[in-house]
Amino acid sequence: MERTHLPIVPEEVLRRHQVHVHRDTRFRANARLLQALYREEQGIDMGAHTYGDGSTRKLGSRISNKAGEAGRNFMTPEIARLAWREHAYREPGAMIDDERVWTNLLGSDSQTINCIGPLKLDLALATKMLRAMCPDLAEAEVQSVLFEHSPGRGSEDLTRDGTAFDAILNYVSGTGEFGFVALELKYTENGWSRQKELGKRYADLMPASGLFRDPEAVELRKSPLQQFMREHVLAQAAIMRGDYSEGRLVILTPALNSSIRRISARYADHLAEQTEGQAGFGVWTLEAFINALRQHGDAAYADDLYRRYCDWSRVDAEIAAHVPAKLAD
């Protein structure tokens, strides 16, 4: 039977692996435990979280600085070297948190490299993946894969701010048109990130984009929909500027991250019917992406990726293995 939700992990199980964090959502607690199990399985030394007051605590979803320097947050040495290069040559203005990249097993920056890195290293694979995930692009060829990318941070003819995509696949369509798939990865996030103050440019771009049924809708300007709106408008602005003929924004998230799935659906409800020349919007599950990678790329790598990020049966096994003694009989 298909799984519909994750468990509430017993506190004693979380504490056993040093991943009990009071503020964690149900999904994040499961994901944090899964990362601790991955770290333990790989024999990677535990790291610590540093609080604002300078105090620290050991945390099972962190790895030591030494392990981070050795690239152990990445799935293979090749992916770790890619992360090093991408970090060194990141776009001016790119917002990358060093700690999250190298020592935080839950960090979205490292997850993006782990998931999309194989496509960056092999454009033939990137093309196969694009066609698998976007059947309407059956003749497209991926030309480049970029991380933490904006078509122009602060550009007057775009959104005039620092909005960027986690990754982007730039392609040439079967008819020779330039297009893109911009990706936003959401692993443990629940969508309620800190709301940014929108610049005045959005007052012009939102109605001009033609993306929305009601471009004045207040909900689009507030958390949790604001980030999706900003990235979607950036995608459309790049098309309107003439950078591309077509494109789409895709949210990549685990199937059981119900919060992001709900928010994506709420955002989609605000969208007008898509017409030619407008940026599309969609959601891919991380599991479907990994399955496509298994079919078209390195199956062993895909299996490892699934085991690290999506194999919730490992959490089930931990819960089953630590039933309180008084209940065991």
Side-chain angles (χ1 to χ4, degrees):
M1 188 172 69
E2 185 177 358
R3 178 174 228 148
T4 60
H5 60 276
L6 293 175
I8 298 174
V9 184
E11 183 176 327
E12 64 183 84
V13 174
L14 296 174
R15 290 191 181 280
R16 181 181 295 271
H17 297 278
Q18 294 185 246
V19 289
H20 180 249
V21 178
H22 288 287
R23 67 178 181 277
D24 276 352
T25 63
R26 185 168 178 160
F27 183 90
R28 192 174 180 87
N30 277 265
R32 192 184 298 280
L33 175 57
L34 191 57
Q35 293 307 302
L37 295 173
Y38 170 82
R39 179 189 56 74
E40 293 165 11
E41 179 182 70
Q42 296 296 312
I44 305 173
D45 290 338
M46 189 186 304
H49 173 71
T50 302
Y51 293 93
D53 62 4
S55 62
T56 63
R57 65 165 283 196
K58 286 283 190 179
L59 192 59
S61 57
R62 297 290 178 93
I63 64 177
S64 68
N65 290 336
K66 183 177 180 180
E69 291 168 1
R72 298 298 302 278
N73 202 8
F74 298 95
M75 303 298 294
T76 67
E78 186 178 31
I79 295 295
R81 288 191 290 271
L82 172 65
W84 178 260
R85 292 194 299 272
E86 290 298 319
H87 187 261
Y89 291 96
R90 61 188 181 273
E91 295 177 1
M95 300 298 292
I96 297 178
D97 185 323
D98 285 353
E99 183 182 42
R100 290 179 65 81
V101 169
W102 301 108
T103 64
N104 188 343
L105 293 169
L106 282 178
S108 58
D109 294 329
S110 57
Q111 189 211 2
T112 300
I113 297 288
N114 280 325
C115 291
I116 311 301
L119 282 61
K120 171 82 172 186
L121 294 171
D122 183 352
L123 293 183
L125 171 60
T127 293
K128 292 177 183 177
M129 288 291 293
L130 178 71
R131 294 175 178 181
M133 301 303 291
C134 302
D136 59 310
L137 299 178
E139 298 182 358
E141 298 277 348
V142 175
Q143 303 292 299
S144 65
V145 177
L146 305 174
F147 295 102
E148 192 58 30
H149 171 72
S150 169
R153 285 179 177 81
S155 294
E156 290 293 313
D157 47 0
L158 293 176
T159 56
R160 296 181 190 163
D161 62 12
T163 300
F165 311 120
D166 286 339
I168 190 169
L169 280 61
N170 293 311
Y171 65 81
V172 175
S173 71
T175 57
E177 303 289 339
F178 289 103
F180 66 91
V181 174
L183 297 171
E184 176 63 30
L185 277 71
K186 296 294 186 187
Y187 183 50
T188 65
E189 294 87 347
N190 65 4
W192 292 90
S193 57
R194 184 173 61 85
Q195 183 171 302
K196 295 187 177 181
E197 182 177 352
L198 290 179
K200 295 180 180 179
R201 175 67 170 152
Y202 285 92
D204 297 326
L205 272 180
M206 289 179 71
S209 71
L211 294 174
F212 308 108
R213 291 188 292 107
D214 176 10
E216 304 299 325
V218 174
E219 188 179 28
L220 289 169
R221 292 165 164 77
K222 301 191 303 182
S223 183
L225 303 191
Q226 190 205 81
Q227 183 184 15
F228 292 174
M229 180 278 290
R230 286 189 288 106
E231 293 190 26
H232 201 186
V233 167
L234 176 63
Q236 181 60 33
I239 294 173
M240 292 165 63
R241 190 171 71 171
D243 297 6
Y244 303 93
S245 297
E246 60 189 38
R248 67 195 71 182
L249 171 66
V250 172
I251 310 304
L252 181 58
T253 191
L256 293 177
N257 188 332
S258 57
S259 180
I260 294 299
R261 300 295 296 277
R262 285 194 300 269
I263 290 167
S264 298
R266 282 173 58 187
Y267 179 73
D269 285 343
H270 283 275
L271 299 180
E273 184 176 351
Q274 185 180 355
T275 59
E276 185 176 355
Q278 286 187 318
F281 176 80
V283 179
W284 296 347
T285 68
L286 182 56
E287 291 86 347
F289 179 88
I290 292 174
N291 189 50
L293 187 61
R294 182 179 294 112
Q295 294 177 27
H296 300 287
D298 184 336
Y301 183 92
D303 288 343
D304 289 344
L305 204 62
Y306 179 84
R307 185 170 176 80
R308 174 169 174 178
Y309 290 110
C310 301
D311 189 357
W312 308 115
S313 68
R314 302 180 70 191
V315 173
D316 297 334
E318 280 300 301
I319 294 174
H322 297 100
V323 175
K326 60 186 177 183
L327 302 177
D329 294 332

